[in-house]
Amino acid sequence: MTTPQLIAHRGYPVEVHQVTTSDGYILEMHRIPFSRRVPTRFQRSKQFGSKYAKRVTTRPVVFLQHGLLCSSSDWVLNPTDRGLAYMLADRGYDVWMGNARGNTYSNKHIFLKESDEAFWRFTWNEMGMYDIPAELEYIFKVTGRQKLLYIGHSMGTTMFWVAMETHPELNEKIELMVGLAPVASVSRMKSPIRIFTPFIHQLQLMFEWFGTKAFLPSGPVLKLMSRLFCDQTKWEEDLCENIFFLLSGSDPANFNEEMVPLITTHTPAGTSTYTIFHYMQEYSTAERYTRMDWGTKQNMEEYGQPTPPPYNLTTVTAPVVLYWGENDWLASPKDVTWLAKRLTNLQGFYRVNMTAFNHLDFLWATNVDQLLYYHLIQLLPYSY
């Protein structure tokens, strides 16, 4: 099932919206406008119907942004009692879920084709500079709201920092930003991904040789591999589970093996190879959070200087709350601390109260509702 099909299958109302960025990418957003409980009550009572109509137009808006190689499905794969999108809808929120350029749902452009190399010349810098502002402004226009709540996971936070620096006026429109496993500098990353960083130039040449700029795009081949290697036997499920742990940190006690086939059907959802390389560069530049290094010549054209300039995190003036996991191998506690010290309006800094909590537990842990989501929801300005 697609994300909208999965939401509808769970009994929730769902909408599909498309927005075009100023540089031509067509992004697809998914919306749960209200709880599945509302329509039944609406049909039973005309009096409630009038109240319901008013309630819909005044519902607070929350925007959920996925991380690297993921999609809007991140928020709706869990059962409805512990899937964050469902929990928020049931508590009175108008829930919008973004999809970054290049993933399963946002792979179109007004004049570029997906097969064009130019289509894939972007990183999370462009996602923050173009995607987030376009999506947020669209939501403001549709809902009539002046502000919203932003919840991002992993790269969804990286994009947010860029958006707030490149579009400083958006800071005033964010009631609260909640960063789950937040990422800026990744110099203390523990994931084995760091092993490949010394070979970044060789990897770039290899991808150029094969003529591809897409990284793990979702498609028939990837889905077939998922079914063949993750969805046949208990041994194969364990193999895929251990790959997750190898990349993000091990937490077998808090992982539901039955979720593996569902997760691998939706993830990875694809991105550009440059997005991967940008993070690899971040690991190589000790405790820095900088723009993409395109090489001296292109840097001069792009930035007017031979080296990429750093981002200025002090320009993020929106109120921010950060949640981090002690066993997160991608957003390491030391990197998150480095980030927290540079945010000028940090409202909260919370360690999830479980030693083994890893990068993917923020989405799919068996008790993520008890460990994280209940606390998170209580922090939000509105609750019903």
Side-chain angles (χ1 to χ4, degrees), residues 68-69 189-196 215-216 239-251 267-268 327-332 358-360:
L68 180 65
L69 291 172
M189 176 177 60
K190 297 179 181 179
S191 174
I193 294 173
R194 71 186 192 276
I195 297 172
F196 298 99
F215 189 85
L216 294 181
L239 174 64
C240 286
E241 178 183 340
N242 285 320
I243 291 174
F244 292 152
F245 292 157
L246 182 65
L247 296 175
S248 63
S250 179
D251 186 11
T267 308
N327 190 39
D328 192 332
W329 286 9
L330 290 169
S332 76
N358 68 25
H359 198 73
L360 296 179

Side-chain angles (χ1 to χ4, degrees), residues 154-169:
S154 189
M155 188 181 74
T157 68
T158 315
M159 297 160 63
F160 181 84
W161 318 133
V162 176
M164 294 305 108
E165 177 175 345
T166 57
H167 296 265
E169 71 281 0

Side-chain angles (χ1 to χ4, degrees), residues 254-327:
N254 208 19
F255 188 82
N256 182 0
E257 290 185 352
E258 294 179 358
M259 286 279 289
V260 171
L262 185 59
I263 292 171
T264 55
T265 299
H266 292 268
T267 308
T271 189
S272 71
T273 57
Y274 291 125
T275 301
I276 305 297
F277 293 148
H278 198 170
Y279 274 126
M280 294 174 74
Q281 288 179 2
E282 289 288 288
Y283 177 78
S284 303
T285 55
E287 292 195 341
R288 293 192 69 194
Y289 176 48
T290 64
R291 289 163 173 79
M292 177 73 174
D293 187 350
W294 298 100
T296 302
K297 182 179 179 180
Q298 290 189 49
N299 286 343
M300 290 299 298
E301 296 175 1
E302 191 87 15
Y303 314 120
Q305 60 185 59
T307 57
Y311 295 101
N312 182 6
L313 287 165
T314 63
T315 60
V316 182
T317 58
V320 175
V321 170
L322 302 180
Y323 286 92
W324 55 279
E326 189 170 327
N327 190 39

Side-chain angles (χ1 to χ4, degrees), residues 167-186:
H167 296 265
E169 71 281 0
L170 286 177
N171 281 280
E172 297 298 322
K173 297 183 178 183
I174 305 298
E175 285 192 85
L176 182 67
M177 185 276 188
V178 179
L180 309 178
V183 176
S185 168
V186 292

